[in-house]
Amino acid sequence: MEESFRIEHDSMGEVRVPADKYWAAQTERSRNNFKIGVGIETMPAEIIKAFGILKGAAAMANRKLRPEKMTEEKYAAIAEAAREVAEGKLMEHFPLVVWQTGSGTQSNMNANEVIANRGNEIAGAKLLHPNDDVNMSQSSNDTYPTAMHIAAVLILEDRVIPAVQQLVSTFKRLEKENEGIVKSGRTHLQDATPITFSQEISGWRSSLERDIELINASLPALKKLALGGTAVGTGLNAPAGFDTEVAAAVSELTGKDFETAENKFHALTSKDEIVFAHGALKALAADMMKIANDVRWLASGPRDGLGEINIPENEPGSSIMPGKVNPTQCEQVTMVAVQVMGNDTAVGIGASQGNFELNVFMPVTAYNFLQSARLLAESIISFDLNCAVGITANREKMHHNLHNSLMLVTALNPYIGYENAAKTAKLAFKENISLKEACLKLGFLTEEKFDEVFKPESMV
């Protein structure tokens, strides 16, 4: 079936556009000029939804400040179309890829065109112009950084933090269930002094709680919006007070406390808030890497590894070795962590490219930031549901490893001194005998005194 087209025009002339799509000339030009990563690396859905929010907010502010231009009829049409964009109902009309102009101009125009055409359809008349009405009092240069901040706040508050809190709750439960179980600690991948399993879990839990604090610390700066700066930060063509009104409107539409950025020249060219927030995501990724590695090491075996914990068996682990089960949830977490750490480099380099009055690496910065946040949220939930909730202690193996540890000799330091304790441990290892046998053989303590002072369970 042959595709049908309609003719749209912009300042450069006429363009053929698919008849069943709401976009218009400028979106179509970008679609044809940037055939890079098509269908794979399109503009993130979070950015498109954020554009719906900010376009609706801008219409609200313009209705209040420019009622002669933003009539009630125009406002109603824009508001309804923008709401549909914000709710993700018109995603098929946003075809553009990340690899476009560094200011995101084409995606801003994509939003303007879709909202204008959908708004006209709602109104039943040729009422809205993409630039004159939907883009009123705005520029791509202040809308794209605003969309970045809105999208970042929403994904951090509504997806990442709840995911981490879910895993924190699981670890709190595991702490209570495993109180009093003493096991060998390990440093440098070597035996160390004893620790309780609940203490070990509390380290995981506390790391995640700190990560939440770090993410929360990044949110106030992200809630400062560039909208109102227009082309270069001066606010040209925006009415007085537009910046504060539109920030209040964004707050109303999202239920979040956004406010206008104090300095629009900074807001347009600097992406330090995104860098700072992604640093918190990288910290979370680093902690998740550590936790996942701990879990898979502790679960290693089942017979030739540490084998101190049991984790759920979710799927066969080998196409050739029958009965093998692998720590697959740990592995997905560590791969996600690697991706986030790589994204942090892209975010940092992208943010460094603020030339004069505008950063021109915004789409790639947003793409990497949002991928990190999305991957972490989904990865953590998957790890929690398919692994963490089912962790159980192998008490027998923990007890065996604890009493087989040479580092229990540390308890003897106050009685025989560091050097004699070291001799005891080395002899026990060399002759494959117990610490007690080594200590008695060397004559450092009597059997009665050794039994009195050597109590591994009290060393925690």
Side-chain angles (χ1 to χ4, degrees):
M1 182 177 177
E2 187 175 348
E3 188 176 7
S4 59
F5 295 88
R6 69 178 189 278
I7 301 299
E8 291 279 357
H9 76 277
D10 58 14
S11 60
M12 295 181 69
E14 293 186 342
V15 179
R16 291 203 331 157
V17 176
D20 63 338
K21 296 297 186 289
Y22 288 130
W23 71 71
Q26 291 196 48
T27 301
E28 186 65 16
R29 290 188 192 279
S30 180
R31 193 166 77 105
N32 292 326
N33 291 337
F34 299 97
K35 294 182 178 180
I36 310 164
V38 176
I40 301 172
E41 293 160 348
T42 52
M43 192 59 61
E46 295 88 354
I47 289 290
I48 293 169
K49 292 176 182 179
F51 265 111
I53 292 168
L54 76 87
K55 293 297 177 181
M60 290 173 66
N62 282 319
R63 175 66 185 139
K64 182 174 182 179
L65 300 172
R66 287 181 162 176
E68 75 287 353
K69 290 188 174 182
M70 183 58 67
T71 64
E72 182 60 36
E73 188 180 13
K74 287 184 176 181
Y75 166 69
I78 292 175
E80 177 61 22
R83 182 184 62 77
E84 291 181 2
V85 172
E87 292 176 353
K89 295 179 177 179
L90 303 178
M91 295 303 296
E92 65 178 294
H93 302 281
F94 289 86
L96 301 187
V97 295
V98 171
W99 319 110
Q100 54 171 273
T101 178
S103 62
T105 298
Q106 282 95 29
S107 283
N108 178 51
M109 282 308 304
N110 190 177
N112 291 333
E113 291 173 348
V114 168
I115 291 171
N117 281 329
R118 174 59 181 141
N120 288 335
E121 186 176 75
I122 292 168
K126 192 74 171 177
L127 182 67
L128 303 173
H129 186 280
N131 299 79
D132 295 338
D133 298 309
V134 184
N135 201 59
M136 186 187 298
S137 308
Q138 305 152 64
S139 162
S140 299
N141 297 351
D142 66 349
T143 58
Y144 200 94
T146 297
M148 289 175 68
H149 278 214
I150 293 171
V153 169
L154 292 179
I155 199 167
L156 292 177
E157 287 195 345
D158 298 345
R159 296 192 63 187
V160 177
I161 291 176
V164 181
Q165 289 171 330
Q166 179 176 315
L167 184 53
V168 165
S169 295
T170 295
F171 285 150
K172 285 182 177 179
R173 173 180 61 79
L174 290 174
E175 280 181 70
K176 292 180 180 178
E177 291 176 0
N178 291 281
E179 285 180 355
I181 302 176
V182 182
K183 62 185 291 291
S184 179
R186 295 178 179 87
T187 59
H188 304 273
L189 293 181
Q190 304 294 307
D191 301 345
T193 54
I195 188 174
T196 67
F197 188 33
S198 61
Q199 287 172 333
E200 191 166 43
I201 297 169
S202 77
W204 303 339
R205 184 256 307 158
S206 186
S207 295
L208 297 179
E209 289 174 334
R210 179 54 53 86
D211 291 326
I212 292 173
E213 292 175 5
L214 296 175
I215 293 171
N216 279 327
S218 74
L219 289 170
L222 286 174
K223 290 179 179 179
K224 307 276 188 179
L225 301 181
L227 212 52
T230 66
V232 294
T234 61
L236 179 68
N237 289 348
F242 177 78
D243 56 352
T244 55
E245 286 292 337
V246 78
V250 171
S251 300
E252 180 181 337
L253 291 173
T254 61
K256 314 288 185 184
D257 296 325
F258 289 97
E259 54 186 308
T260 191
E262 295 88 348
N263 188 305
K264 304 301 189 298
F265 307 103
H266 160 83
L268 267 61
T269 194
S270 175
K271 295 291 153 277
D272 52 9
E273 300 92 347
I274 290 288
V275 172
F276 184 84
H278 197 276
L281 292 178
K282 182 172 72 170
L284 173 60
D287 282 330
M288 287 303 302
M289 172 79 85
K290 187 261 192 237
I291 292 167
N293 278 333
D294 281 358
V295 169
R296 64 176 168 180
W297 272 105
L298 290 172
S300 61
R303 291 185 174 176
D304 295 335
L306 295 180
E308 291 190 346
I309 66 172
N310 306 304
I311 58 176
E313 299 182 352
N314 295 320
E315 59 272 318
S318 173
S319 61
I320 189 173
M321 293 175 281
K324 194 173 192 295
V325 178
N326 295 328
T328 52
Q329 286 297 318
C330 298
E331 290 167 6
Q332 64 85 1
V333 167
T334 55
M335 287 192 289
V336 164
V338 166
Q339 184 66 54
V340 172
M341 292 172 188
N343 287 351
D344 193 68
T345 299
V347 168
I349 294 174
S352 73
Q353 302 304 304
N355 306 126
F356 304 113
E357 278 64 62
L358 185 67
N359 178 283
V360 291
F361 280 64
M362 287 190 286
V364 70
T365 300
Y367 177 76
N368 281 276
F369 182 95
L370 293 167
Q371 184 193 49
S372 291
R374 191 184 318 113
L375 285 177
L376 280 168
E378 294 172 359
S379 169
I380 290 169
I381 289 173
S382 179
F383 177 75
D384 179 57
L385 295 177
N386 298 302
C387 182
V389 296
I391 290 174
T392 58
N394 185 338
R395 296 182 181 226
E396 293 78 13
K397 192 63 180 289
M398 286 183 177
H399 183 271
H400 169 78
N401 288 344
L402 171 67
H403 287 268
N404 198 42
S405 171
L406 295 176
M407 287 306 98
L408 295 179
V409 78
T410 306
L412 303 180
N413 283 1
Y415 306 97
I416 64 175
Y418 182 92
E419 290 191 10
N420 286 340
K423 290 177 183 178
T424 300
K426 290 179 183 296
L427 180 64
F429 180 68
K430 180 180 178 181
E431 298 188 5
N432 195 27
I433 60 177
S434 70
L435 289 172
K436 181 177 181 178
E437 290 171 319
C439 189
L440 296 181
K441 189 171 185 177
L442 291 168
F444 293 145
L445 289 174
T446 65
E447 184 174 359
E448 292 75 20
K449 186 63 176 177
F450 184 93
D451 291 340
E452 177 188 337
V453 301
F454 190 77
K455 300 183 185 302
E457 280 75 16
S458 67
M459 294 175 68
V460 297

